[in-house]
Amino acid sequence: MDLHPPGCIAVIFCAQRTETDGEAYAAAAGVMSNLAAQQAGYLGQDSSRSEDGLGITVSYWENDAAAKAWRDHPVHTAIRDQGRGKWYESYTLHVAKIERSYDWNKSGIEKNSVP
């Protein structure tokens, strides 16, 4: 996980998956991750999914304009529509501004923060 500068945008996507077509979902998720990483203003992402299908993906963007450009990207829009049709039972999306960013690791080698 990376630290992110104050003022950048975090888009927090929390979704409950259906059991429909897991292979196609995984392929689409890969396309989305790779495509997002190619967009102007992309800073990274963190993701996790539980065994019951609840997933959280946080993508980080330099600014709100970059996050909105990703939201409106035609391939993202098409895959989002597929997700609504078959892969998601429900989802919630939150957009937040990063104020501070910290990290820590068990080895204690280094502790970082971004004001």
Side-chain angles (χ1 to χ4, degrees), residues 78-114:
I79 292 175
R80 180 177 56 233
D81 289 345
Q82 280 186 299
R84 288 175 177 167
K86 59 183 170 179
W87 297 317
Y88 294 119
E89 190 67 39
S90 62
Y91 69 77
T92 303
L93 188 125
H94 308 281
V95 179
K97 187 178 283 190
I98 301 292
E99 296 293 332
R100 285 177 299 286
S101 192
Y102 303 92
D103 73 354
W104 177 89
N105 66 57
K106 194 160 191 79
S107 69
I109 294 172
E110 191 171 317
K111 294 179 184 175
N112 296 300
S113 68
V114 176

